[in-house]
Amino acid sequence: MLNGEIIAVTSGKGGVGKSTVSVNLALSLARLGKNVALIDLDIYGFSVPKILNLTSKPKTMNGKIIPVESHGVKVMSMGFLVKGNDPIVWRGPMLGKIVENFVKDVLWGELDYAILDLPPGTGDVALDLHHFIPQSKEIIVTTPHPTATHVAERAGTMALKTKHDILGVIENMSYFIPPASEEKFFLFGKGGGDQLATDLHTEVIARLPIEPPREGSATPSVFEQGSELYNHYMKLAEKVDQLSKQQNLADAKL
Ligand SMILES: Nc1ncnc2c1ncn2[C@@H]1O[C@H](COP(=O)(O)OP(=O)(O)O)[C@@H](O)[C@H]1O
Ligand SMILES: [Mg+2]
């Protein structure tokens, strides 16, 4: 049974960095010594196995699934359940079944955190999630451009409607600092994260710079020590840990 603090990473649209954020946040929480699960629920574009360069599939034991371990994180993905890169047509009830399987039929063990990479938008998967995991919290990812924010806001409004706590907004691809420089270039505009956070009555918990994937690496989008994004993700993990504890304390007092 899925347990621990469950955090869904969402956004209104694709390509803003949800999967990259989910993977690197999960790894950073594990580096803090937490027991972490990472669940890829992006059925249309599952990318977690690719980002982590996973080739093995989960095994089963007595009808239960044993998640794949990577970088100290327990991983499950829709990608494990399909052959090759065949496109799949998922129907609503099938989706619900899979979300339910991941929640109930995986041997997660004792967890501190479960990070969920959601498909873009506010579709079936989001609804199933609200149904099966009503206690999950949300992190909303946006780019700094105000129009991106407009789309991300719909995901946030959904969270508010279903009474999910929002942990905060992550502004990804916030700025770029060229090598050997300290000047920030705001390539995708400015202000999107702040605007979204204001609209959703929350805060911006990270502004992540643009950093090219590491060439020649088997896992170019996993940020290792020495990269600027590694430091940002470590800070983000600490912030998430601190915020979850604060919110749970506040909830306990109500
Ligand atoms: N901060 C960043 N700097 C540079 N490239 C990034 C950054 N965040 C994400 N990307 C790249 O953007 C693309 C989309 O990211 P992804 O995590 O797959 O988005 P999503 O899951 O929202 O569709 C990927 O190629 C990823 O490597
Ligand atoms: Mg994705």
Side-chain angles (χ1 to χ4, degrees), residues 164-184:
H164 280 201
D165 284 336
I166 296 179
L167 273 184
V169 166
I170 293 180
E171 190 181 81
N172 190 31
M173 310 185 199
S174 261
Y175 56 86
F176 176 69
I177 302 180
S181 162
E182 281 179 15
E183 192 181 350
K184 287 182 181 173

Side-chain angles (χ1 to χ4, degrees), residues 35-244:
N35 293 320
V36 185
L38 172 61
I39 310 182
D40 179 5
L41 285 174
D42 192 342
I43 29 146
Y44 310 106
F46 41 83
S47 49
V48 169
K50 194 157 178 259
I51 295 176
L52 287 169
N53 193 27
L54 299 178
T55 45
S56 58
K57 302 241 167 173
K59 299 186 169 57
T60 55
M61 195 172 75
N62 303 326
K64 297 274 183 187
I65 305 167
I66 306 168
V68 173
E69 286 255 352
S70 174
H71 295 74
V73 169
K74 291 174 178 163
V75 186
M76 270 308 293
S77 170
M78 296 286 193
F80 294 152
L81 309 179
V82 298
K83 288 204 189 92
N85 278 327
D86 296 346
I88 329 149
V89 183
W90 300 93
R91 282 174 285 113
M94 289 164 69
L95 286 180
K97 195 73 201 139
I98 286 182
V99 175
E100 192 181 0
N101 275 346
F102 281 7
V103 171
K104 292 185 179 160
D105 299 333
V106 176
L107 295 170
W108 290 116
E110 187 108 8
L111 296 173
D112 296 306
Y113 286 98
I115 306 298
L116 277 47
D117 181 16
L118 257 59
T122 53
D124 290 341
V125 174
L127 283 171
D128 287 329
L129 186 72
H130 292 295
H131 179 70
F132 291 111
I133 323 176
Q135 76 278 24
S136 69
K137 295 182 176 173
E138 305 210 356
I139 286 177
I140 304 177
V141 182
T142 184
T143 58
H145 199 276
T147 53
T149 298
H150 181 69
V151 182
E153 192 175 326
R154 271 189 272 149
T157 313
M158 170 95 169
L160 291 178
K161 264 196 200 138
T162 48
K163 301 217 172 5
H164 280 201
D165 284 336
I166 296 179
L167 273 184
V169 166
I170 293 180
E171 190 181 81
N172 190 31
M173 310 185 199
S174 261
Y175 56 86
F176 176 69
I177 302 180
S181 162
E182 281 179 15
E183 192 181 350
K184 287 182 181 173
F185 290 86
F186 298 92
L187 302 182
F188 296 132
K190 247 187 195 181
D194 286 316
Q195 192 187 315
L196 182 62
T198 307
D199 292 347
L200 297 174
H201 311 291
T202 183
E203 57 174 320
V204 177
I205 55 173
R207 292 174 212 275
L208 305 172
I210 297 167
E211 194 174 300
R214 293 173 309 116
E215 269 178 61
S217 164
T219 52
S221 292
V222 172
F223 298 100
E224 312 277 359
Q225 214 151 6
S227 110
E228 195 52 37
L229 274 174
Y230 173 94
N231 299 331
H232 281 273
Y233 277 112
M234 287 312 293
K235 266 193 220 145
L236 173 64
E238 280 162 24
K239 176 99 187 170
V240 164
D241 191 38
Q242 181 198 340
L243 278 176
S244 324

